[in-house]
Amino acid sequence: MTPRWAALVSEVRAHPNDNLANFLDASGRSLEDVLRKDKSWTSLRRTAGKLTTPEGPLEQRLVKRVRALAHLDDQTRRDAYTALLNGQRLTSSAEQRFVAMLFYSLFPDGGDFTDAAAGLTALDGEPVIDEMREVIDIAFGAAHRIARPLVELAPALADVPLAVHARYSREEILAALGWTAEGRSPSTMREGVAWCPQVNADAFLITLKKTDTDYSPTTMYRDYALNRDLFHWESQSTTSAASPTGQRYLQHRERGSHILLFVRENKTNALGPTPYIFLGPSDYVSHEGDRPIAITWHLRHPMPTEVYLASRAAVA
């Protein structure tokens, strides 16, 4: 049961310091208890009288987005995000993708900024930045999978700073793959497939457990693991094998394009949209049917055992 806000405020007021991790350990609370839909640790401290610095101009928007950082679980992203929140400016091609990933995590609709760099510059002096750094450290400390750099499995994607078996939000995925470079914001994406011409890759964002309330009859695709190396996936119901999109899927190796699979068990969790686990690059094995096309993909790196078991449970 989610604790009442007044009870949390009282606990924070009585706590001897302002360290979030220390409060969670001492109180037995979880990040899910603190990071609400429209509030966060910063909100709690203000209400409890523990934070007296003036409220930043973006604070009311940012406290709603701190939870978007609570899944971070790979070292490279942790270091990059922390550097950006500390005011450092990253310049390489791969580093610039981290700029976009963090920016769209905080501003999924683009936030009316001219570009991602301007949006991050606007964070300077915001008190909530301290909380963001804390949440990143807590999330990384709880990570239990070993994440492998994508470049090791797909050398042509060296500038894409994703790690296989790490977790990512929709915003991070689209930003990392250059989909947002076309001036599009992740909040406008309504489909589970994204062609990203900047990196010559198709990204499939797959939810294993689909419900009638979240998906229409034409989007209840049958997506599931056959084993830890093979994944059964269905295209959109309007995609034929002969169409340009269908041909790109089926002939991706001949054409030099990439197929990237991202999977989550449910659409939402206690913190909002559930992040996806990146299963990595995959290769065509076989297909059958049309509109939708049922395709079997071979993963270049076996999926985590818990993902395979969750997939099998979803099918059952």
Side-chain angles (χ1 to χ4, degrees):
M1 180 181 296
T2 303
R4 292 174 61 87
W5 185 253
L8 282 174
V9 170
S10 295
E11 292 176 17
V12 171
R13 186 177 292 123
H15 190 66
N17 61 55
D18 291 334
N19 182 273
L20 175 56
N22 183 268
F23 170 76
L24 297 179
D25 288 340
S27 65
R29 299 297 190 185
S30 66
L31 272 180
E32 290 82 358
D33 292 330
V34 172
L35 302 181
R36 306 294 183 90
K37 183 176 181 180
D38 58 350
K39 296 181 176 68
S40 72
W41 178 239
T42 300
S43 309
L44 266 174
R45 290 168 61 217
R46 282 204 185 282
T47 307
K50 301 288 286 286
L51 179 60
T52 58
T53 54
E55 185 175 298
L58 296 174
E59 185 165 310
Q60 290 305 308
R61 297 169 68 180
L62 293 172
V63 294
K64 300 175 183 179
R65 297 300 304 169
V66 175
R67 57 190 181 141
L69 304 174
H71 61 269
L72 193 147
D73 56 357
D74 69 284
Q75 182 74 55
T76 305
R77 186 171 27 146
R78 176 205 191 188
D79 292 346
Y81 282 13
T82 300
L84 289 168
L85 292 173
N86 286 337
Q88 297 180 36
R89 295 295 172 252
L90 308 183
T91 57
S92 74
S93 178
E95 289 173 338
Q96 282 298 300
R97 293 186 189 272
F98 278 127
V99 173
M101 289 166 70
L102 177 58
F103 169 72
Y104 283 109
S105 293
L106 302 179
F107 304 99
D109 62 356
D112 297 323
F113 294 101
T114 55
D115 55 32
L120 295 189
T121 297
L123 300 180
D124 292 347
E126 288 281 346
V128 72
I129 296 303
D130 292 335
E131 177 185 358
M132 291 181 182
R133 286 190 286 257
E134 287 188 272
V135 168
I136 287 172
D137 286 343
I138 291 169
F140 181 75
H144 63 279
R145 295 189 197 92
I146 297 176
R148 182 177 179 181
L150 172 60
V151 65
E152 295 181 3
L153 299 171
L157 298 178
D159 284 344
V160 177
L162 296 176
V164 177
H165 295 178
R167 296 184 298 167
Y168 297 94
S169 65
R170 174 189 63 178
E171 290 75 21
E172 290 176 302
I173 293 167
L174 296 177
L177 297 175
W179 187 90
T180 56
E182 305 291 328
R184 298 173 290 189
S185 60
S187 62
T188 64
M189 183 192 182
R190 295 291 180 266
E191 302 169 340
V193 295
W195 166 240
C196 306
Q198 269 212 354
V199 295
N200 204 22
D202 277 288
F204 301 155
L205 279 59
I206 301 162
T207 301
L208 296 174
K209 291 183 178 178
K210 301 176 178 68
T211 64
D212 294 338
T213 56
D214 293 324
Y215 296 87
S216 68
T218 59
T219 59
M220 295 285 280
Y221 307 118
R222 298 176 66 248
D223 305 322
Y224 53 87
L226 296 168
N227 54 45
R228 290 187 62 203
D229 298 294
L230 297 175
F231 197 92
H232 175 280
W233 175 84
E234 290 188 347
S235 71
Q236 291 183 288
S237 59
T238 56
T239 302
S240 70
S243 67
T245 298
Q247 285 296 294
R248 191 176 68 241
Y249 295 162
L250 304 181
Q251 298 183 18
H252 75 96
R253 279 179 295 193
E254 294 86 344
R255 299 185 179 196
S257 65
H258 309 277
I259 303 294
L260 307 177
L261 269 58
F262 300 84
V263 171
R264 62 184 179 183
E265 185 173 0
N266 302 294
K267 184 176 181 179
T268 59
N269 62 22
L271 289 172
T274 304
Y276 297 85
I277 298 170
F278 182 30
L279 298 186
S282 304
D283 296 301
Y284 169 83
V285 176
S286 64
H287 77 280
E288 60 183 12
D290 207 37
R291 293 190 175 94
I293 317 166
I295 305 176
T296 297
W297 302 105
H298 180 267
L299 303 175
R300 295 183 190 173
H301 189 49
M303 70 183 69
T305 300
E306 68 268 27
V307 177
Y308 170 65
L309 295 176
S311 174
R312 302 309 298 166
V315 173

